[in-house]
Amino acid sequence: DAKTTQPPSMDCAEGRAANLPCNHSTISGNEYVYWYRQIHSQGPQYIIHGLKNNETNEMASLIITEDRKSSTLILPHATLRDTAVYYCIVRPGTGTASKLTFGTGTRLQVTL
Amino acid sequence: AAGVIQSPRHLIKEKRETATLKCYPIPRHDTVYWYQQGPGQDPQFLISFYEKMQSDKGSIPDRFSAQQFSDYHSELNMSSLELGDSALYFCASSLGLNPLTGAYGYTFGSGTRLTVV
């Protein structure tokens, strides 16, 4: 699986957009970008995934660069409950039983 | 909606004892994954099962074993426990080869916190 690089920590004011970057320069053609988050000691939670097009759901938006070497997760209006560690993970396909390999992630602190 | 159920939530064992962790996947999910997360660490993949067969193996100690049963629940057996085995153990489930459901990622349980004293 391709490796990812994320900043270790970020701060965001409540109500503002949180933009979390991820570099995955060695991503291959069949690998998707997944984002998960882990709120303190809880099980990781799926947020969003994409292949090459930008994606949006009720939780977040995912912007993937045209060369697919980096992406940005956007939480449009961060709240205190969004404080968590955010993991960017690349893995093959959507129909395979392949594992998720967690890197170090970004610790997002949302403040008043 | 039904989620991934793990039991027990908390477990305290002494060194050299044995522990069994259980995981009940979301109904109709056929793939189970086990992860270990030590204090201040990121989740580390241990092992996975698809349709009751081991599908992948990570950094799982030889003292640990796991299996998936006919009803798709899974158990992680840990023997000769060491202090370093103290961690959160997460189970996740997915539909392994379903191109639709698999696209939405795995669902994780709330974890079992194992403390070895």
Side-chain angles (χ1 to χ4, degrees):
Chain A
D1 294 352
K3 292 185 178 179
T4 62
T5 304
Q6 299 177 249
S9 64
M10 294 182 66
D11 292 329
C12 179
E14 189 176 35
R16 304 296 294 270
N19 298 294
L20 290 85
C22 178
N23 287 319
H24 31 79
S25 58
T26 59
I27 192 170
S28 58
N30 70 335
E31 288 183 316
Y32 284 67
V33 180
Y34 284 79
W35 283 84
Y36 281 76
R37 73 180 182 183
Q38 187 176 28
I39 297 170
H40 181 64
S41 294
Q42 297 181 21
Q45 176 189 23
Y46 166 82
I47 301 173
I48 199 167
H49 79 283
L51 181 62
K52 54 183 178 180
N53 297 321
N54 297 338
E55 303 288 345
T56 296
N57 63 20
E58 64 278 4
M59 289 183 68
S61 294
L62 174 61
I63 308 298
I64 302 174
T65 57
E66 192 169 343
D67 63 7
R68 301 208 325 123
K69 293 185 177 181
S70 66
S71 60
T72 301
L73 177 73
I74 301 173
L75 307 179
H77 305 286
T79 71
L80 296 178
R81 285 179 291 185
D82 292 321
T83 293
V85 178
Y86 287 76
Y87 294 97
C88 169
I89 301 168
V90 295
R91 77 170 183 106
T94 59
T96 58
S98 62
K99 63 182 182 291
L100 293 172
T101 300
F102 289 84
T104 53
T106 295
R107 185 173 299 276
L108 176 68
Q109 180 69 51
V110 181
T111 57
L112 291 173
Chain B
V4 177
I5 306 298
Q6 291 188 245
S7 68
R9 290 297 307 275
H10 301 273
L11 189 59
I12 299 175
K13 291 285 186 178
E14 295 187 354
K15 284 192 304 183
R16 294 179 290 277
E17 285 193 317
T18 297
T20 297
L21 279 54
K22 297 184 179 182
C23 170
Y24 297 87
I26 289 174
R28 293 183 291 112
H29 279 193
D30 53 18
T31 306
V32 169
Y33 311 80
W34 286 96
Y35 287 81
Q36 177 192 59
Q37 186 172 26
Q41 304 295 312
D42 302 299
Q44 297 295 313
F45 172 73
L46 291 177
I47 196 168
S48 63
F49 292 87
Y50 166 67
E51 282 291 346
K52 292 153 280 185
M53 298 290 289
Q54 181 180 307
S55 56
D56 201 352
K57 192 173 182 180
S59 50
I60 183 170
D62 292 340
R63 299 177 289 108
F64 294 6
S65 65
Q67 59 181 325
Q68 186 179 32
F69 294 86
S70 58
D71 64 352
Y72 295 102
H73 93 273
S74 179
E75 295 184 3
L76 178 65
N77 299 294
M78 311 159 69
S79 63
S80 303
L81 287 169
E82 302 173 355
L83 296 178
D85 296 329
S86 295
L88 272 168
Y89 290 83
F90 291 107
C91 170
S93 76
S94 72
L95 264 176
L97 293 180
N98 185 304
L100 293 177
T101 306
Y104 296 96
Y106 309 171
T107 300
F108 283 81
S110 299
T112 293
R113 181 175 294 280
L114 173 66
T115 302
V116 182
V117 297

